[in-house]
């Protein structure tokens, strides 16, 4: 499917450079869903579908999308190009694609020249999940119910207990 998929009421747009990024970015989508954030997911490569990316970035904020999460690997330009084409916050998820364990993607996103920011997360699953949480944190600033859900999530995480079989006191 090459058409852009839009979701009514989506507040976050998750973009990937390739469908091969989905196994990692599915964790981002699952985290957004867990916190009740309506979102949409699309593969729109900055390199292979530049005009579609431009159209998406022009259209999404007007539909209510408030944060973009962009995942890409290799020479990962997706987040930077998206950030150049829209003023809404862009979070970058570097993928561990085919070489350098994702360092190439990390630097491509983190080393944006001044003027066009990309909030870059960690390589791989940790960054994918944290991008969702950071998007939730941003949206929570103007959404009391979402803020409550986010605080509950953090409290639950803090309360988690850890079994260490054989360790003193466990
Ligand atoms: C990037 O190249 C994608 O974001 C992906 O991480 C990587 C490999 O893409 P495929 O060759 O698997 O399509 O553009």
């Amino acid at each position: 499917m090459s058409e852009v998929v839009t979701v009514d009421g989506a507040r976050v747009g998750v973009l990937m450079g390739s469908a091969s990024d989905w196994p990692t970015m599915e964790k981002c989508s699952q985290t957004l869903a867990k916190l009740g954030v309506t979102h949409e997911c699309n593969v729109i490569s900055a390199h292979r579908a530049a005009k579609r990316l431009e159209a998406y970035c022009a259209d999404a904020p007007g539909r209510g999308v408030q944060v973009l999460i962009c995942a890409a690997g290799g020479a990962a330009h997706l987040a930077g190009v998206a950030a150049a084409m829209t003023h809404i916050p862009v979070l970058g998820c570097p993928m561990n694609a085919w070489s350098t364990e994702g360092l190439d993607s990390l630097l491509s996103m983190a080393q944006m020249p001044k003027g066009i920011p990309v909030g870059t997360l960690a390589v791989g699953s940790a960054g994918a999940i944290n991008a969702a949480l950071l998007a939730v944190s941003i949206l929570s600033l103007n959404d009391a119910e979402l803020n409550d859900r986010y605080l509950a999530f953090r409290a639950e995480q803090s309360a988690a207990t850890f079994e260490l079989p054989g360790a003193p006191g466990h």
Side-chain angles (χ1 to χ4, degrees), residues 15-73:
L15 302 181
M16 289 152 274
S18 169
S20 64
D21 300 321
W22 177 242
T24 303
M25 293 311 292
E26 189 172 15
K27 298 183 174 94
C28 176
S29 176
Q30 289 167 344
T31 303
L32 290 168
K34 180 176 181 178
L35 284 152
V37 176
T38 305
H39 61 285
E40 59 194 26
C41 301
N42 281 286
V43 173
I44 310 180
S45 166
H47 305 95
R48 298 164 178 157
K51 291 194 187 311
R52 196 179 310 145
L53 178 62
E54 185 175 19
Y56 183 87
C57 290
D59 176 63
R63 293 189 290 105
V65 174
Q66 294 174 279
V67 179
L68 289 183
I69 296 175
C70 296

Side-chain angles (χ1 to χ4, degrees), residues 132-164:
L133 295 176
L134 191 51
V136 167
S137 177
I138 293 167
L139 295 173
S140 290
L141 294 172
N142 292 303
D143 183 335
E145 289 183 6
L146 179 58
N147 191 57
D148 287 346
R149 291 199 295 277
Y150 184 43
L151 291 178
F153 166 85
R154 290 182 61 121
E156 184 183 333
Q157 183 172 250
S158 295
T161 56
F162 302 96
E163 300 297 325
L164 300 176

